[in-house]
Amino acid sequence: MAKRITTCSFVWDKFSNAYEVDGTKKKLTFKHAPQPSTGPKPGSMYHTVLASQAMVPNTGKYYWEFAASVDNLKIGVALSDCPTDVEMGYNNKSWSVYIQTGECEHDRQERLKPEGVQRRLWRLVVPISGGKFGCLLDTKNGTLQLFFNGEYQGMAFDEASGIKGKTVYPAVGIAGIEDNNRAIGFGKKYCHILDDAVAPKISSVEKKVIC
């Protein structure tokens, strides 16, 4: 018997004042002005945004998609009480894939150091203009798999990640500065939830060769 996959249609629900949403609550935009040329202030980027969809343990698989205009963001899941004014992946209440590097983070303490990086998705290559991202969560095993533009990128978090047994929510974090593409401009860094998503199939070959 095939395992049930629930296609999620949700809205952005909890976020800091660094963001704003449109009338549908599906389009999330980073609203703060770009950071100084000397670089972003510590803790000012990738603040966690939680969606409204609760994914309870042992309720099957959940798949969701959204479009983003940048590659400088983090994607994953978080607990309901995850703080929204700190960087996603830098606490024990959020699990994030850092899209620019493929690093899969949980309770990370410091950038450029391996502590808190559970694995890296080496296949993941995203253009600076972003694209369509998809996530597949198995609430029985506590695993999270990532897709980009319909192609499987790998297992971001496995059964030992700490997700298993917890109710989690879709989450993202967008950077406040885009060094590689300053033409994006103020107010145009967004993440838009897509309705009517269909979970892509993962071939048996991909399951074996992609971590």
Side-chain angles (χ1 to χ4, degrees), residues 136-157:
L136 179 63
L137 176 74
D138 186 330
T139 62
K140 178 180 179 181
N141 299 322
T143 60
L144 184 68
Q145 295 167 290
L146 183 70
F147 299 81
F148 178 65
N149 286 342
E151 294 186 358
Y152 181 53
Q153 303 300 317
M155 179 73 72
F157 295 99

Side-chain angles (χ1 to χ4, degrees), residues 14-211:
K14 298 179 182 178
F15 45 90
S16 73
N17 60 7
Y19 303 96
E20 63 185 5
V21 295
D22 68 355
T24 68
K25 295 187 178 180
K26 290 182 178 293
K27 185 175 182 180
L28 174 81
T29 304
F30 189 94
K31 68 177 183 178
H32 279 187
Q35 300 285 345
S37 59
T38 53
K41 298 178 181 179
S44 64
M45 302 191 302
Y46 310 108
H47 286 182
T48 306
V49 179
L50 284 83
S52 59
Q53 176 70 56
M55 297 176 288
V56 180
N58 301 310
T59 55
K61 294 183 177 181
Y62 292 80
Y63 181 76
W64 63 97
E65 288 182 340
F66 50 79
S69 63
V70 295
D71 69 334
N72 200 359
L73 76 162
K74 297 187 177 188
I75 296 168
V77 295
L79 303 181
S80 63
D81 59 345
C82 178
T84 59
D85 58 351
V86 298
E87 184 169 346
M88 187 176 178
Y90 276 61
N91 53 62
N92 62 3
K93 298 180 184 294
S94 60
W95 294 258
S96 67
V97 180
Y98 185 12
I99 296 302
Q100 285 193 330
T101 65
E103 294 170 316
C104 302
E105 307 167 323
H106 175 62
D107 204 15
R108 194 171 188 177
Q109 301 301 312
E110 188 174 347
R111 201 176 302 279
L112 303 179
K113 291 190 177 181
E115 292 79 9
V117 177
Q118 297 194 355
R119 63 176 59 200
R120 185 171 183 179
L121 300 181
W122 296 100
R123 181 181 180 180
L124 181 63
V125 178
V126 176
I128 58 177
S129 58
K132 183 177 71 174
F133 297 91
C135 294
L136 179 63
L137 176 74
D138 186 330
T139 62
K140 178 180 179 181
N141 299 322
T143 60
L144 184 68
Q145 295 167 290
L146 183 70
F147 299 81
F148 178 65
N149 286 342
E151 294 186 358
Y152 181 53
Q153 303 300 317
M155 179 73 72
F157 295 99
D158 60 19
E159 295 185 28
S161 66
I163 296 175
K164 186 176 181 179
K166 296 180 175 67
T167 296
V168 295
Y169 297 73
V172 299
I174 304 175
I177 188 169
E178 184 50 67
D179 288 327
N180 295 326
N181 191 3
R182 292 183 181 273
I184 290 175
F186 170 68
K188 296 182 181 180
K189 304 173 183 69
Y190 68 80
C191 186
H192 191 186
I193 298 165
L194 301 177
D195 293 328
D196 303 320
V198 178
K201 293 182 179 180
I202 307 173
S203 71
S204 57
V205 174
E206 287 181 310
K207 288 180 181 178
K208 291 180 181 179
V209 302
I210 303 176
C211 67

